Amino acid sequence: MSRGGRHAYAAISVLAAGALVLTGCSKGGGDSGNNDKKDKENAQRQQASIKFGDAKDSTGPATAVPGAKTGGTMEVLQRDSYAHLDPAQIYVSDEGSVATLLHRGLTGYKATSNDGSKHEVVGDLATDSGTTTDGGKTWKYTLKDGIKFQDGSAITSKDFRHSIERLFAPFINQGPPYLQQWLADTPGADYRKLLKGGPYKGKHLPDSVLETPDAKTVVFHFKTAHPDLPYALAMAGYAVVSAKGDTKEKYDRAPVAAGPYKIQSFKSGKSMVLVKNTNWDPKTDAIRHQYVDQFNITFNQQYETSTKTLLADSGADQAGVSFNNQVDAGNLSKVLSDPKMKSRTVGGFQPYVGQMNINMSHPALKDKKIREAIAYALPITPFVRAFGGTDAMEVAGGLISPTVSGYDASFDPWGKKKKPAGDPAKAKALLKEAGKVGMKLTFGYINTPEGQQYSTAMAAGLKKAGFNVQRQEIPAETYYDQVSELDNNYDIFHTAWGADWPSASTVIPPVFDGRAIADGAQNYSQVNDSRVNSEIDRINKITDPVKSAAAWEKLDQYLVKDVVNVVPTAYYKQIQIAGSKVGGLAYDDVIGGVDPRRLFVK
């Protein structure tokens, strides 16, 4: 899942942007110095597999949150508006957070501890997490009784067939690809050939692929085993869409909810109001609560603004929170050192890894020496400092997060952990060898104060190495839409990717499979390396999780060191705060932030 464009950039630092390039630090920035052990334990905990629950685990209502009360209005301060609300188009974390309130799928993650650290995959709209008798080639799901959309219509297997078949339509191009590829038994974007155009012209997937023999039964048939299906189906991208209410492209602005809340109003870029969905039955839901009467979401609240508002803790903002905004760099140490803020603060390691993409479709960047020059020259210090130092992130060596099995802490081919300010001298020598000193680089950056800050500093570091860097702004709300266009003019741009479940199989294939290059897909650097493609196929067939993790890490190192299509920047952490009247506050490992499903007004 992507974290970057509409979510991941920290607020502007009190330090001048120009000074950041000149100031190196072995850690990439300041930190409070007392969280290293806790961070490591947090990351290692998230590497563990999450068990699949049975029918008992999947039975609602959800276990009550201690001290929870019903009623009240909660103010939600968000930096970015939502570009997508159609679940099939959701593959970035801020939209994923609001999706926990609006959408439901066959399976879902249930928190089994009040601190958000323990989970199991359970049946959401299904009676359990799924049954298979052949190792994962065939999966059967039975729908629960009494499940409805917001309009009161019953959710049936017909809706799930439609939800799955519409994934093959060309306008669905931003969501996850796993299920489609598994059903078509093909990597990359060729899965669309299985049902060209989707179900809108009367064609359907055959029963040999997707079977819906009655109103309550959904059966998946795969040619190869996919034991991870319950994880995949728990993603927002595979939530149910109303067959009757499907408005195709328009559904992205006004979806039909199946969760505890529905959209009362949405003014893109300004506000959203969520109110209770009266046709949601808590007896059918083992995952969510419906404590708050109304969520008032306000967009364009920069990290510094939302932090100051929540710190002030006055008026309606006493019941204020942000699903995704983190504490800004300027206030981070204040929040972490204030004992009074402890009960209002949550945080943890996230699965996201930042990476500077090098656009491999541009002819000049096909020269490996130039890509290596970018890798050596790129300063990571300003990026980490913009977030508040190592309390907020850690300098990355590779593409696999500390939260994912296979992570290798010693891998650091470009020396970023030792020299986070970059090595412009080595970079300039490579540029001279290539005869490209003064080469123009178009740096696409997110048009927010924080994006301006770190991109300015990073550009200055690249200029020291001999590049002629031209920064080009990209609106925050459509950032990922624009950088995922094949015909974009950005030479370099930053994104962040997080594992969809604790396996690098959800990191390397979706982002680096050359057969998945397409408009809207997640191969942002447009890398198409035959060794990478063949290794993806080989490793995906390894059933031993330990051997699989080791193989993915080896491929990670090949990409970073030998292909050089991206430069890893940082492993993400998150610190968030809330008003004093917000109850049920917890940082959820799976969501990677505040869990909206358990919040209540004190």
Side-chain angles (χ1 to χ4, degrees):
M1 177 179 284
S2 299
R3 187 188 194 268
R6 291 187 288 273
H7 174 36
Y9 300 97
I12 198 158
S13 169
V14 294
L15 297 174
L20 296 178
V21 180
L22 306 176
T23 309
C25 173
S26 63
K27 285 191 172 184
D31 69 280
S32 60
N34 56 11
N35 289 322
D36 286 354
K37 183 179 179 181
K38 183 179 178 182
D39 285 341
K40 288 179 182 178
E41 291 173 350
N42 180 300
Q44 289 172 355
R45 182 188 71 238
Q46 293 187 49
Q47 291 184 18
S49 296
I50 299 172
K51 80 161 192 171
F52 297 157
D54 58 19
K56 183 179 178 181
D57 299 320
S58 309
T59 301
T63 303
V65 175
K69 299 177 181 179
T70 298
T73 297
M74 191 161 287
E75 304 296 323
V76 183
L77 308 175
Q78 292 286 110
R79 195 192 71 180
D80 301 320
S81 185
Y82 303 125
H84 301 288
L85 294 167
D86 181 334
Q89 297 278 58
I90 292 176
Y91 210 6
V92 295
S93 52
D94 53 348
E95 293 161 5
S97 291
V98 77
T100 64
L101 300 176
L102 297 172
H103 299 306
R104 298 179 68 182
L106 287 171
T107 66
Y109 288 94
K110 181 174 81 171
T112 57
S113 64
N114 285 313
D115 64 357
S117 66
K118 297 178 181 178
H119 300 82
E120 59 187 3
V121 176
V122 299
D124 184 2
L125 292 173
T127 55
D128 56 31
S129 59
T131 56
T132 181
T133 56
D134 55 8
K137 287 186 177 181
T138 306
W139 283 91
K140 180 181 178 181
Y141 290 90
T142 302
L143 301 184
K144 293 176 178 176
D145 295 326
I147 52 176
K148 299 177 182 179
F149 287 110
Q150 68 180 61
D151 60 5
S153 61
I155 298 172
T156 71
S157 63
K158 179 182 177 181
D159 295 297
F160 272 103
R161 174 174 281 279
H162 181 78
S163 302
I164 294 159
E165 290 178 340
R166 72 195 293 273
L167 297 170
F168 295 84
F171 72 90
I172 301 295
N173 59 12
Q174 294 291 325
Y178 304 110
L179 182 58
Q180 304 93 297
Q181 292 172 345
W182 295 349
L183 289 170
D185 196 37
T186 186
D190 281 349
Y191 67 81
R192 293 191 187 275
K193 296 176 183 177
L194 183 64
L195 188 64
K196 289 184 178 180
Y200 299 105
K201 293 183 180 180
K203 294 183 179 180
H204 300 283
L205 293 173
D207 285 350
S208 60
V209 173
L210 176 66
E211 196 177 356
T212 49
D214 56 54
K216 296 190 66 175
T217 306
V218 180
V219 184
F220 297 95
H221 297 282
F222 304 118
K223 290 183 180 178
T224 54
H226 292 289
D228 284 353
L229 181 65
Y231 290 132
L233 293 178
M235 299 172 67
Y238 298 125
V240 70
V241 169
S242 168
K244 181 180 71 174
D246 184 5
T247 53
K248 297 179 73 173
E249 289 90 343
K250 293 180 181 178
Y251 202 81
D252 222 6
R253 283 289 182 264
V256 182
Y261 293 88
K262 62 183 179 180
I263 300 169
Q264 183 182 79
S265 65
F266 177 40
K267 298 177 182 177
S268 183
K270 295 181 180 179
S271 64
M272 173 182 281
V273 176
L274 302 182
V275 295
K276 287 185 174 181
N277 173 10
T278 55
N279 281 302
W280 171 81
D281 186 350
K283 293 178 183 178
T284 71
D285 199 329
I287 298 171
R288 303 165 188 81
H289 300 280
Q290 197 188 48
Y291 295 131
V292 179
D293 284 341
Q294 181 170 309
F295 289 96
N296 292 338
I297 304 175
T298 306
F299 303 116
N300 293 317
Q301 301 296 300
Q302 300 297 328
Y303 291 174
E304 185 177 14
T305 303
S306 61
T307 300
K308 288 181 176 179
T309 298
L310 296 174
L311 280 173
D313 196 39
S314 63
D317 292 314
Q318 287 182 298
V321 71
S322 178
F323 295 158
N324 305 98
N325 280 21
Q326 62 194 58
V327 175
D328 72 289
N331 285 293
L332 187 56
S333 60
K334 176 183 176 181
V335 168
L336 292 175
S337 61
D338 185 351
K340 295 178 182 178
M341 287 300 299
K342 189 172 183 180
S343 64
R344 294 168 53 195
T345 304
V346 293
F349 236 115
Q350 298 189 305
Y352 303 104
V353 180
Q355 48 207 269
M356 185 65 75
N357 296 268
I358 301 173
N359 194 331
M360 300 285 280
S361 72
H362 291 183
L365 295 174
K366 294 185 185 298
D367 187 332
K368 188 180 177 183
K369 276 192 172 64
I370 293 171
R371 302 198 302 275
E372 289 177 337
I374 293 171
Y376 278 118
L378 190 74
I380 310 302
T381 305
F383 191 77
V384 174
R385 281 227 175 124
F387 282 86
T390 55
D391 282 322
M393 57 174 47
E394 179 182 311
V395 174
L399 300 165
I400 295 177
S401 163
T403 67
V404 175
S405 299
Y407 165 69
D408 182 355
S410 66
F411 182 59
D412 184 26
W414 307 113
K416 298 304 181 186
K417 295 183 180 183
K418 293 180 180 179
K419 287 186 175 182
D423 192 335
K426 188 173 285 189
K428 183 169 275 189
L430 284 165
L431 268 187
K432 284 183 178 178
E433 286 180 34
K436 292 291 184 178
V437 174
M439 174 183 166
K440 181 182 175 182
L441 278 182
T442 301
F443 184 170
Y445 73 95
I446 188 167
N447 187 22
T448 61
E450 58 273 10
Q452 292 167 5
Q453 176 203 343
Y454 75 72
S455 65
T456 299
M458 283 179 150
L462 290 165
K463 287 176 182 177
K464 284 179 67 176
F467 287 102
N468 173 16
V469 185
Q470 304 296 318
R471 293 162 59 250
Q472 187 169 330
E473 65 183 42
I474 306 172
E477 184 178 352
T478 59
Y479 185 85
Y480 265 84
D481 293 342
Q482 292 201 36
V483 299
S484 64
E485 290 179 2
L486 296 185
D487 191 23
N488 72 67
N489 67 334
Y490 314 119
D491 293 312
I492 58 172
F493 52 90
H494 193 272
T495 61
W497 187 266
D500 293 311
W501 53 88
S503 168
S505 66
T506 68
V507 175
I508 305 295
V511 188
F512 303 112
D513 189 332
R515 297 158 296 187
I517 295 174
D519 278 320
Q522 290 75 41
N523 188 334
Y524 302 115
S525 65
Q526 299 187 45
V527 61
N528 189 5
D529 184 275
S530 59
R531 175 174 167 181
V532 173
N533 297 346
S534 62
E535 278 294 278
I536 285 172
D537 293 343
R538 183 186 71 83
I539 300 168
N540 268 329
K541 295 175 183 176
I542 298 174
T543 56
D544 184 316
V546 175
K547 291 181 179 177
S548 173
W552 286 124
E553 175 55 28
K554 189 175 180 180
L555 186 54
D556 163 28
Q557 296 188 8
Y558 171 71
L559 277 159
V560 175
K561 184 179 178 181
D562 299 304
V563 181
V564 203
N565 59 300
V566 294
V567 183
T569 56
Y571 306 126
Y572 286 62
K573 305 174 191 176
Q574 179 102 320
I575 304 294
Q576 293 175 270
I577 59 173
S580 59
K581 291 186 178 180
V582 173
L585 186 68
Y587 180 92
D588 188 272
D589 283 350
V590 171
I591 295 172
V594 166
D595 184 351
R597 303 167 299 185
R598 54 180 285 123
L599 297 174
F600 65 89
V601 179
K602 294 179 181 178

